[in-house]
Amino acid sequence: MTEQLVGAATAAPPADRDGREAGARRTAQLRRWRRRGLLVLGWLAMLLLWEFGSWWYGSRLLPRPHEVFLKAVEIVESGNFVTDFSASVLKTFAGFAVAAAVGAPVGYLMGRYDYWRAFFHDGVTIAGTIPAIVYAVMSLIVFGLSNLGPILAVALVSAPYIALNVAEGIRGVDRSLVTMSEAFGRTPRQIRREVLIPTIVPFVFAAIRMCFAVAWKVEALTEVFGGRNGVGFQIRTEYQLYDIGAVLAWMFLFIAFMLVIERLVLFRAEARLLAWRPEERGTAL
Amino acid sequence: MAVLTVKNLAKTFNLGTPRASRVLDDITFEVRGQTFVSIVGPSGCGKSTLLNIISGVEEHTSGEISLTSDEGRPARMGYVFQDPRLLPWRSVLRNMMYVQDDQGEATVARARRYLDMVGLAKNADFYPGQLSGGMQQRVGIARAFAVEPDLLLMDEPFSHLDAITARGLRAQLQDIWAQSKKTVVFVTHDVVEAVELSDRIIVLQPGGRIYEDIGIDLPRPRRQTDPTVATLQAEVLARLEAMKELGRTTEPVA
Ligand SMILES: Nc1ncnc2c1ncn2[C@@H]1O[C@H](COP(=O)(O)OP(=O)(O)O)[C@@H](O)[C@H]1O
Ligand SMILES: [Mg+2]
């Protein structure tokens, strides 16, 4: 009986197995190409709709796609692009820094002590629910026409997320790893560095990624109303000159730029830091 | 020679509250160098609590504990837990180095040597998530031996593993212990395992008192299939049956 079972398990000739694997590969490839095809079709449909809109409303009101594209090239070729984008990005990250400086300690207290959790919980939750536009308006009222407005807006939008995520991270610390460290005579400092912080890192990254998606839009919005430079400021200027093509060009450039930062910088850094997670290893290496 | 002395040790959880419960009561024993001692008893009788107190992770209520090391330097302890307790973000070797004070090359070489002894030399750079439960537990064992502890504490290290893996690891543990001759306090609820591994068995009874202190004088290495081992295992089991009878007549724990 046993021998038969063993025989059956090893009976499948390798050639047959290779054939089946090749077949599965082909099917997967076909599916991939079909998906790419649909992606391209989606883009074409969008552009067609845009062209139709331009024709319907007139290209002064809604410039045609290639006009916007040429405008974008023009913007990139003039020096404005670099100065204004770096201004916007710097303000976004400055806002993050402020948010982290305030949010992380609050989150630490919330995660570590029940009293502080009770103290902060509702306030932080409400602060995280307030619409971003309200923060933009508040920042304008506080700082008026200034670079500090966008920074404050980003900080206000991000800080609650960071606090809640850090708190969640701290609460997720594995007590048994802390006990293990103590049993082997590790110092509190070592335990903080080797157990606490690695536990929190994924949560902080989740917070930053979530915030980033909202933060750069708030940053640009605040610049539109009260910036002295940056992408939002350029959009307002072009709007006042009634150059819709330039407004759209700046917008698309900004979107593209921020997506690149999100994908390349944030995802890469995260994959690098979280390489130990079995499911992340593939992307990290 | 390392000496562990435990004198009149008692532990009450939630002392001074209505939920106060005495877990250990008047425990006294001494372990002198290079001995493998098992602490055996039914679950909930305070074995883990006793180990945690010895390791310093848990406070005790009254009594004394002392551990002296070989050369007057501060005594080192190693601990093997029921679960592996590895840092998931550190590789196997870096997990072993985490509990070392010295980070020099000699220490790394020693860690690798113990990793080799548990058969994981090839897995030094793996993350714990890439190893099976049994392999992770072996890393935990290697980690504890590699600190060259004066006292090695083990808390039911094989109880979460399947029978075949556990048997293999017990054999490995015997080998490593024979080579390194540490002082070991090994907690288990499994009498058969205790007889196979120990020079001496301390039996705890429910309520946290020592019921019996049994010397096991059998040649090593011990084989499960050896009839003298089996006979002694049956004998100790019978004595524990007698304890259960006694357990029913003792007063409930405060
Ligand atoms: N932190 C604690 N607080 C209150 N009671 C505890 C605590 N830890 C353990 N106990 C109790 O102490 C008793 C002994 O626990 P433990 O030492 O884990 O037993 P064993 O390891 O022998 O199974 C159990 O009844 C358990 O409920
Ligand atoms: Mg236990």
Side-chain angles (χ1 to χ4, degrees):
Chain A
M1 263 329 266
T2 323
E3 243 153 59
Q4 260 181 354
L5 277 177
V6 171
T10 50
D16 182 32
R17 199 184 51 207
D18 282 357
R20 251 180 293 148
E21 272 174 16
R25 245 195 322 273
R26 261 198 308 279
T27 319
Q29 216 161 32
L30 212 70
R31 214 176 291 137
R32 237 181 343 261
W33 277 111
R34 213 173 291 152
R35 205 163 43 223
R36 277 178 205 156
L38 282 173
L39 199 74
V40 172
L41 276 181
W43 275 97
L44 282 179
M46 228 163 20
L47 288 175
L48 220 68
L49 203 68
W50 184 353
E51 283 281 7
F52 176 75
S54 305
W55 171 77
W56 188 265
Y57 288 109
S59 71
R60 227 176 86 76
L61 221 55
L62 181 57
R64 299 174 58 191
H66 72 271
E67 289 171 346
V68 173
F69 179 76
L70 290 176
K71 257 294 194 285
V73 172
E74 206 177 290
I75 292 169
V76 174
E77 280 176 346
S78 79
N80 292 2
F81 178 74
V82 178
T83 40
D84 285 295
F85 273 80
S86 51
S88 288
V89 171
L90 273 178
K91 278 182 258 183
T92 307
F93 280 102
F96 267 150
V98 174
V102 178
V106 168
Y108 180 82
L109 289 175
M110 284 176 70
R112 196 80 167 66
Y113 306 102
D114 281 342
Y115 290 113
W116 284 112
R117 185 173 184 74
F119 181 81
F120 282 119
H121 184 269
D122 289 351
V124 172
T125 308
I126 291 171
T129 323
I130 292 174
I133 180 94
V134 175
Y135 286 129
V137 171
M138 273 165 57
S139 307
L140 287 172
I141 292 169
V142 173
F143 287 115
L145 280 178
S146 148
N147 282 338
L148 294 176
I151 295 178
L152 180 67
V154 169
L156 286 171
V157 167
S158 312
Y161 280 108
I162 292 179
L164 287 176
N165 272 275
V166 168
E168 211 46 53
I170 297 263
R171 288 162 71 83
V173 166
D174 186 347
R175 285 297 314 166
S176 76
L177 290 179
V178 176
T179 314
M180 178 277 288
S181 305
E182 287 168 356
F184 281 100
R186 300 302 87 190
T187 62
R189 185 160 168 271
Q190 280 175 309
I191 296 176
R192 224 175 303 129
R193 268 229 333 252
E194 301 294 338
V195 181
L196 243 54
I197 291 178
T199 308
I200 302 172
V201 165
F203 289 89
V204 172
F205 257 102
I208 287 183
R209 238 187 315 122
M210 222 164 26
C211 291
F212 191 78
V214 183
W216 65 263
K217 291 168 200 144
V218 175
E219 196 277 333
L221 186 71
T222 317
E223 274 176 357
V224 167
F225 292 120
R228 291 172 165 283
N229 57 15
V231 176
F233 169 77
Q234 288 292 353
I235 288 177
R236 180 185 54 193
T237 312
E238 301 295 357
Y239 170 75
Q240 282 164 349
L241 297 175
Y242 212 68
D243 190 345
I244 309 288
V247 169
L248 289 177
W250 275 104
M251 186 188 79
F252 280 123
L253 282 173
F254 195 40
I255 291 174
F257 191 70
M258 284 308 176
L259 284 182
V260 165
I261 288 195
E262 192 172 327
R263 288 290 133 85
L264 289 190
V265 182
L266 292 184
F267 281 166
R268 282 275 169 81
E270 187 172 9
R272 183 82 154 271
L273 273 167
L274 301 181
W276 55 271
R277 289 209 245 182
E279 67 274 16
E280 306 270 8
R281 277 183 80 69
T283 50
L285 299 176
Chain B
M1 187 173 63
V3 182
L4 168 70
T5 316
V6 176
K7 216 166 143 189
N8 306 118
L9 183 81
K11 169 72 182 178
T12 305
F13 279 110
N14 304 312
L15 191 64
T17 73
R19 290 182 300 137
S21 66
R22 177 170 297 169
V23 173
L24 294 172
D25 189 7
D26 197 21
I27 303 281
T28 299
F29 66 93
E30 190 179 87
V31 182
R32 294 192 159 269
Q34 307 196 345
T35 318
F36 197 116
V37 180
S38 283
I39 296 183
V40 174
S43 67
C45 72
K47 304 182 297 291
S48 298
T49 306
L50 179 57
L51 275 202
N52 284 336
I53 290 172
I54 293 173
S55 75
V57 173
E58 187 100 61
E59 304 277 325
H60 55 286
T61 312
S62 61
E64 286 162 37
I65 292 180
S66 75
L67 175 65
T68 58
S69 69
D70 287 340
E71 307 98 26
R73 59 173 166 70
R76 268 196 305 266
M77 275 187 261
Y79 206 140
V80 181
F81 304 87
Q82 214 163 344
D83 43 342
R85 301 208 185 174
L86 304 173
L87 304 178
W89 40 83
R90 274 181 171 247
S91 70
V92 165
L93 186 66
R94 294 196 355 103
N95 258 286
M96 296 180 67
M97 293 308 292
Y98 170 54
V99 300
Q100 299 282 353
D101 291 326
D102 177 70
Q103 298 290 313
E105 268 174 43
T107 313
V108 174
R110 190 172 70 219
R112 283 188 186 281
R113 205 169 63 239
Y114 280 101
L115 203 54
D116 190 26
M117 280 192 217
V118 296
L120 293 176
K122 290 209 187 83
N123 303 91
D125 297 322
F126 281 48
Y127 286 98
Q130 297 171 305
L131 303 177
S132 72
M135 290 160 96
Q136 291 182 28
Q137 193 63 4
R138 268 140 73 188
V139 176
I141 293 170
R143 173 179 65 187
F145 271 99
V147 302
E148 307 245 277
D150 299 291
L151 178 65
L152 177 56
L153 306 170
M154 306 181 89
D155 189 358
E156 311 204 29
F158 309 133
S159 65
H160 282 175
L161 303 175
D162 63 274
I164 296 172
T165 309
R167 175 185 284 215
L169 284 190
R170 270 196 293 273
Q172 242 168 25
L173 176 62
Q174 286 200 53
D175 287 347
I176 299 173
W177 183 75
Q179 287 175 49
S180 62
K181 286 286 183 185
K182 301 278 179 269
T183 312
V184 178
V185 175
F186 184 96
V187 159
T188 177
H189 62 262
D190 182 353
V191 176
V192 173
E193 177 177 76
V195 171
E196 182 185 339
L197 295 172
S198 331
D199 301 310
R200 178 182 163 198
I201 299 177
I202 295 173
V203 182
L204 280 192
Q205 67 187 48
R209 279 170 172 275
I210 293 183
Y211 173 72
E212 205 171 4
D213 197 331
I214 307 168
I216 306 291
D217 194 11
L218 288 176
R220 292 171 184 275
R222 296 170 187 166
R223 300 263 173 272
Q224 284 260 282
T225 45
D226 187 340
T228 54
V229 174
T231 312
L232 201 55
Q233 282 167 338
E235 197 179 306
V236 176
L237 269 172
R239 289 209 227 176
L240 292 197
E241 287 295 317
M243 178 184 82
K244 272 187 197 154
E245 300 292 315
L246 181 128
R248 262 182 228 131
T249 57
T250 50
E251 73 274 39
V253 189

